[in-house]
Amino acid sequence: MSDREFGGNDDLTLPKDTEFGVHLGSHITATIQKIITEILGDRSGLTFGKDARDLLIDCSVEFITLISSEANEIAEKESKKTIAAEHIDKALRELGFPEYVSETREKKTNKLQDSGLTDEQLLQQQQELFRSATEKYNSGPA
């Protein structure tokens, strides 16, 4: 069941009064603070106000929740029980954030296509690898 199917409740924020929400909130706060510190650095002379930091944390949680919910819906439509990286990539694209899709991941998913080998050649290579592994296994310890 997705968040959109509950109807009328657009509040996707994490619960703040539960142990889970407080525990997760402290990790998010620490992570965002670390990112802010790394970006600003000591040399900039700038500081980040508490209200600005809290707003940035809230926005970060909302963004993650939005992407997660969309990825969950995509996985459900595909009858998958695990949200995979491909579901996150598809969610990012569908929500208008294609620039966040990892180019590295795109290249990995196209590795077979980029090999230039036909399906028959790939199958032949796979069978040869299985044959070689079986011979090695059957020959016992070296």
Side-chain angles (χ1 to χ4, degrees):
M1 182 141 265
S2 69
D3 292 324
R4 293 182 186 167
E5 293 172 343
F6 288 116
N9 185 4
D10 291 333
D11 182 21
L12 298 176
T13 58
L14 292 171
K16 302 216 184 325
D17 58 346
T18 66
E19 184 178 326
F20 173 73
V22 170
H23 181 68
L24 185 59
S26 64
H27 284 291
I28 291 172
T29 302
T31 302
I32 298 297
Q33 186 61 46
K34 182 179 179 185
I35 292 169
I36 291 168
T37 303
E38 288 175 2
I39 290 173
L40 292 180
D42 295 332
R43 291 181 254 147
S44 70
L46 297 172
T47 58
F48 220 81
K50 183 183 180 323
D51 290 344
R53 186 196 70 212
D54 291 345
L55 178 60
L56 184 60
I57 291 167
D58 288 344
C59 290
S60 300
V61 169
E62 291 298 321
F63 181 75
I64 291 167
T65 303
L66 176 68
I67 300 302
S68 300
S69 297
E70 186 69 22
N72 182 53
E73 288 184 21
I74 292 167
E76 284 179 349
K77 287 177 187 173
E78 295 177 5
S79 300
K80 302 290 183 179
K81 294 187 178 191
T82 302
I83 297 174
E86 296 79 35
H87 300 128
I88 301 293
D89 287 347
K90 190 171 183 182
L92 286 166
R93 283 190 190 97
E94 288 183 7
L95 292 169
F97 301 104
E99 64 275 13
Y100 294 130
V101 176
S102 169
E103 291 179 23
T104 305
R105 197 172 310 120
E106 284 181 345
K107 289 178 184 175
K108 286 181 182 177
T109 58
N110 292 327
K111 189 175 182 180
L112 290 177
Q113 294 172 346
D114 294 342
S115 72
L117 299 173
T118 66
D119 287 343
E120 293 80 21
Q121 291 170 321
L122 290 168
L123 180 61
Q124 186 178 12
Q125 282 185 357
Q126 182 184 40
Q127 289 171 342
E128 181 56 38
L129 288 170
F130 283 139
R131 200 173 7 263
S132 173
T134 302
E135 289 173 9
K136 187 175 180 178
Y137 177 76
N138 289 334
S139 67

